[in-house]
């Protein structure tokens, strides 16, 4: 019996993987422009990190983590997201003490959540994320948002919707929390058992409960915007000013609360409103998390970031019918006719590759016609045909596959010829 791939995971095969590489390359290029440096953290962490970082009343922690006990008896979790790990590394490696502040980092790698798989929702998915640590300037919130927007735009996406909200500072959130408790308390019996637990621990989480989503008290719940104190209000206004200055369209959604506990002040999501994109429209989510470094044992440090998955990025490109150029073709296919010529192409192929060309030859003893077909499939720009007779005269026949033009040149001139006609 054959073994199936686990639910919610994917094999990304040649033909498809090039799309990933194009997006990943673009993301890295943008990070250089915006001056974010890559950080690579482990794929698993102590479970405690996510309990404290992401929050023990969130769906991610309560229902979605891949947690196991290792052979040393430690509780280990496959990372469900990258922010907690990045901040852990920032604290652990004392990056707050380095001269370059704020510390601007990015990551790209697999994350794991035991969610119900559906279109756009996987159990293993790849996030590209950035985190800027050490600045309380709303201009960096705007920078982070603009990086995400520009990445999507540079890949050709047009149907983007940016939604922002403010979750305020501690004082604002405490006032909002009281209001939420007063709002839900009288009828909390009508909510799921998780929400009943959330009421005292973290009533904000009730607002993103998937089960009680349609309860009438949800829409009438007090919004955080009404409880922002002066500092939080001014911060949010400044962010909006900067977004306007950067020509980034946005809408304010007072109901945007995000599914992780560490957020305060800025929260945002970027959605696709392309037809046929499916039920899950969020491409990217992020926000500010000023208390997170402290929560995991570090110094008080402001932070802001976002993460987006490549899976949803590709789905959005498909929904907008944007084709990426995934097969750019090879420079030269070396075809051969005869045993001596076939052997000779082993070394000649090596010469071409060393000289910087992408090149391929036949490994299946195919007839010349089939070798040309193989060259076509590889989108070869040139096919160089070497026969035993030509080899005796040190000649090779080169066909330009775009123009059909054929020339016979000295074998020793092939590298230069390809270089001149590339
Ligand atoms: P998040 O909203 O949980 O935030 O995830 C961010 C993005 O990851 C989503 O918008 C989506 O593109 C992608 N994503 C999440 N779950 C899945 C899934 N099951 N399948 C495919 N894609 C998925 C965070 O993870 C925060 N760490 C973001 C952040 C960074 N906040 C501040 N800094």
């Amino acid at each position: 019996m054959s073994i199936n791939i686990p639910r919610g995971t994917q094999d990304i095969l040649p033909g498809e993987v090039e799309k990933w590489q194009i997006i990943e390359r673009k993301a890295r290029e943008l990070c250089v422009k915006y001056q974010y440096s890559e950080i690579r953290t482990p794929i698993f962490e102590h479970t405690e990190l996510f309990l404290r970082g992401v929050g023990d009343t969130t769906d991610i922690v309560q229902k979605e983590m891949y947690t196991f006990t290792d052979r040393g008896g430690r509780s280990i979790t496959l990372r469900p997201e990258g922010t907690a790990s990045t901040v852990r590394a920032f604290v652990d490696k004392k990056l707050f003490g380095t001269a370059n502040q704020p510390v601007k980092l990015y990551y790209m790698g697999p994350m794991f959540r035991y969610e119900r798989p559906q279109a756009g929702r996987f159990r293993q998915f790849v996030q590209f994320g950035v985190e800027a640590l050490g600045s309380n300037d709303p201009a960096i919130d705007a920078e982070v948002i603009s990086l995400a927007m520009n990445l999507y735009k540079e890949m050709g996406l047009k149907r983007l919707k940016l939604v922002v909200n403010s979750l305020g500072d501690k004082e604002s959130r405490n006032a909002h929390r009281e209001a939420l408790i007063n709002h839900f308390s009288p009828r909390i019996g009508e909510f799921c058992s998780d929400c009943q637990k959330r009421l005292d621990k973290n009533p904000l989480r009730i607002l993103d409960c998937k089960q009680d989503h349609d309860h009438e008290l949800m829409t009438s719940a007090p919004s955080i915007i009404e409880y922002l104190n002066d500092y939080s209000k001014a911060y949010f206004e400044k962010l909006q000013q900067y977004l306007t200055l950067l020509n980034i369209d946005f809408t304010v959604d007072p109901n945007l609360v995000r599914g992780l506990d560490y957020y305060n002040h800025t929260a945002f999501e970027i959605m696709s409103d392309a037809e046929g994109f499916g039920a899950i429209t969020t491409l990217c989510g992020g926000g500010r998390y000023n208390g997170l470094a402290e929560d995991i044992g570090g110094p008080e440090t402001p932070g802001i970031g976002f993460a987006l998955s490549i899976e949803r990025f590709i789905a959005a490109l498909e929904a907008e019918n944007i084709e990426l150029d995934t097969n750019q073709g090879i420079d030269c296919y070396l075809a051969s006719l005869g045993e001596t010529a076939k052997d000779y192409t082993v070394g000649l192929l090596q010469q071409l590759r060393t000289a910087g060309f992408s090149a391929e030859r036949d490994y299946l003893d195919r007839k010349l016609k089939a070798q040309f077909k193989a060259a076509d499939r590889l989108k070869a720009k040139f096919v160089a045909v070497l026969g035993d007779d030509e080899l005796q005269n040190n000649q090779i026949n080169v066909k330009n596959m775009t123009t059909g033009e054929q020339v016979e040149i000295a074998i020793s001139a092939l590298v230069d010829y390809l270089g001149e006609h590339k």
Side-chain angles (χ1 to χ4, degrees), residues 81 83 113 115 120 122 127 131 258 262-263 283 305 307 309:
E81 58 104 53
T83 310
R113 294 185 194 175
E115 294 195 84
F122 296 88
Q127 273 189 348
E131 314 291 348
R258 307 273 302 125
Y262 45 61
Y263 291 115
L283 299 178
S309 72

Side-chain angles (χ1 to χ4, degrees), residues 43-302:
I43 279 178
F44 58 84
E45 297 270 1
H46 293 295
T47 303
E48 179 70 17
L49 174 66
F50 303 113
L51 298 184
R52 281 205 258 160
V54 175
D56 56 7
T57 52
T58 59
D59 268 4
I60 294 183
V61 166
Q62 287 194 340
K63 301 179 186 161
E64 297 171 3
M65 292 207 304
Y66 279 91
T67 298
F68 60 96
T69 307
D70 74 3
R71 287 168 195 269
R74 303 168 198 92
S75 180
I76 294 292
T77 293
L78 300 185
R79 58 183 188 190
E81 58 104 53
T83 310
S85 305
T86 305
V87 176
R88 194 240 345 108
F90 173 87
V91 170
D92 201 21
K93 299 299 175 302
K94 300 194 171 45
L95 299 186
F96 47 83
T98 56
N100 262 351
Q101 298 291 328
V103 175
K104 305 205 307 186
L105 303 165
Y106 81 89
Y107 48 86
M108 204 149 19
M111 308 291 162
F112 306 85
R113 294 185 194 175
Y114 192 79
E115 294 195 84
R116 198 168 56 78
Q118 61 187 98
R121 184 176 284 157
F122 296 88
R123 289 185 172 167
Q124 175 174 333
F125 55 97
V126 173
Q127 273 189 348
F128 161 63
V130 311
E131 314 291 348
L133 291 141
S135 167
N136 242 327
D137 182 344
I140 205 154
D141 302 40
E143 173 181 280
V144 160
I145 293 174
S146 87
L147 199 165
M149 290 297 282
N150 279 343
L151 177 58
Y152 288 129
K153 283 182 189 159
E154 288 195 16
M155 295 298 298
L157 288 175
K158 297 205 165 57
R159 306 291 300 267
L160 299 168
K161 226 181 114 203
L162 168 67
V163 178
V164 295
N165 191 21
S166 170
L167 302 177
D169 60 7
K170 211 175 218 159
E171 187 186 78
S172 313
R173 282 201 318 284
N174 281 340
H176 183 227
R177 184 192 143 91
E178 283 305 310
L180 286 172
I181 294 177
N182 291 337
H183 178 75
F184 287 114
S185 282
R187 291 173 64 186
I188 194 65
E190 297 166 27
F191 285 73
C192 71
S193 58
D194 284 339
C195 282
Q196 295 184 11
K197 282 182 221 138
R198 286 166 179 149
L199 182 68
D200 283 327
K201 279 193 96 172
N202 191 352
L204 194 67
R205 285 278 74 85
I206 297 177
L207 296 179
D208 63 2
C209 176
K210 287 175 190 137
Q211 212 168 318
D212 294 320
H213 188 259
D214 296 326
H215 194 286
E216 58 172 329
L217 284 191
M218 289 295 206
T219 40
S220 56
S223 133
I224 179 74
I225 294 272
E226 299 156 37
Y227 293 87
L228 295 182
N229 59 15
D230 289 346
Y231 174 77
S232 303
K233 241 186 249 168
Y235 195 97
F236 193 34
E237 270 158 25
K238 200 80 195 165
L239 167 69
Q240 295 180 55
Q241 263 178 39
Y242 287 141
L243 289 176
T244 307
L245 192 145
L246 292 172
N247 283 322
I248 299 175
D249 290 338
F250 61 91
T251 48
V252 175
D253 178 358
N255 296 320
L256 178 73
V257 292
R258 307 273 302 125
L260 304 93
D261 274 351
Y262 45 61
Y263 291 115
N264 40 64
H265 293 290
T266 309
F268 69 95
E269 287 188 356
I270 301 170
M271 338 261 194
S272 166
D273 65 0
E275 284 111 43
F277 184 63
I280 300 174
T281 55
T282 306
L283 299 178
C284 169
R288 187 160 270 286
Y289 46 82
N290 290 351
L292 180 56
E294 251 181 312
D295 287 346
I296 57 179
E300 200 183 323
T301 312

